[in-house]
Amino acid sequence: MKSAIYPGTFDPMTYGHLDIIKRAANIFDELIVGVLDNKEKTPLFSADVRVNILKEATKDLPNVKVESFGGLLSDYCKSKGIYVVVRGLRAVTDFEYELQMSQINRKLSDNKLDTVYFNTSLKYSYLSSSSVKQIAQFGGDLTDFVPDFVADMLLEKFDQKN
Ligand code: PNS
């Protein structure tokens, strides 16, 4: 069985992420979506909430599993026996950071871990979790960016903050 992991912060998941998940799930037998639980960063949503958002959004994709992980991605992959990392590339500007991350992961895994890139669908090429949060903060329309239930969660979050 060919498994892969799609790691990320997903704070929150957008339609751009979901598009990559669906396309990768069509290629691999099993896709783990790995949600980084980084105690040093303060994301808008806790790791548990981010995992639940992804679980809800992927509930109709039987070969997709959502889990959180901490520490090094290469260690997490080793513990699961997974040697393919999936990442999305929106534009050339993503490439440098992605290449560096891929090389580090390869080095840390004794050259076992490879990264495959999906070019983001053109209609999501401008989309990021950060821009979605900013739009939500100022009450903008999120219809084309995140599922409705995520938009509601974002608006509630920013209501509480204000
Ligand atoms: O969605 P993001 O924030 O671009 O995802 C980045 C992520 C989570 C894939 C990356 O930060 C990561 O793998 N972090 C775990 C720590 C790690 O393994 N670092 C070494 C590679 S740079």
Side-chain angles (χ1 to χ4, degrees):
M1 183 158 92
K2 198 71 200 165
S3 299
I5 182 164
Y6 178 34
T9 307
F10 305 108
D11 186 39
M13 180 213 75
T14 67
Y15 279 139
H17 295 127
L18 199 53
D19 177 58
I20 303 280
I21 291 171
K22 286 179 181 165
R23 287 158 61 200
N26 266 334
I27 290 177
F28 295 99
D29 300 314
E30 178 189 54
L31 182 73
I32 309 279
V33 181
V35 176
L36 180 67
D37 186 5
N38 185 349
K39 307 281 183 222
E40 282 153 30
K41 277 193 182 172
T42 33
L44 186 62
F45 294 107
S46 69
D48 284 348
V49 172
R50 284 178 279 142
V51 164
N52 286 336
I53 289 173
L54 277 149
K55 279 188 174 166
E56 175 62 25
T58 59
K59 64 180 181 208
D60 296 328
L61 302 171
N63 62 335
V64 173
K65 273 192 206 154
V66 185
E67 297 176 358
S68 66
F69 76 98
L72 290 174
L73 177 64
S74 52
D75 289 340
Y76 180 60
C77 289
K78 190 175 177 188
S79 75
K80 304 206 71 86
I82 293 178
Y83 294 100
V84 181
V85 174
V86 165
R87 294 283 289 172
L89 280 179
R90 285 167 302 191
V92 178
T93 39
D94 282 342
F95 186 71
E96 212 166 315
Y97 167 65
E98 293 297 335
L99 184 65
Q100 186 190 26
M101 211 160 53
S102 160
Q103 302 287 27
I104 290 173
N105 285 331
R106 207 164 133 75
K107 169 80 182 155
L108 291 175
S109 64
D110 288 329
N111 295 342
K112 287 200 181 90
L113 209 49
D114 270 312
T115 305
V116 299
Y117 299 104
F118 284 70
N119 56 322
T120 302
S121 296
L122 215 49
K123 61 178 172 175
Y124 302 127
S125 59
Y126 55 85
L127 196 52
S128 70
S129 298
S130 314
S131 53
V132 161
K133 281 182 278 195
Q134 242 177 55
I135 295 163
Q137 189 175 2
F138 298 110
D141 183 5
L142 293 166
T143 314
D144 291 336
F145 307 148
V146 293
D148 288 349
F149 79 95
V150 179
D152 290 345
M153 290 170 81
L154 279 161
L155 296 178
E156 195 179 318
K157 203 57 157 179
F158 284 111
D159 253 8
Q160 283 166 8
K161 285 192 162 192
N162 292 334

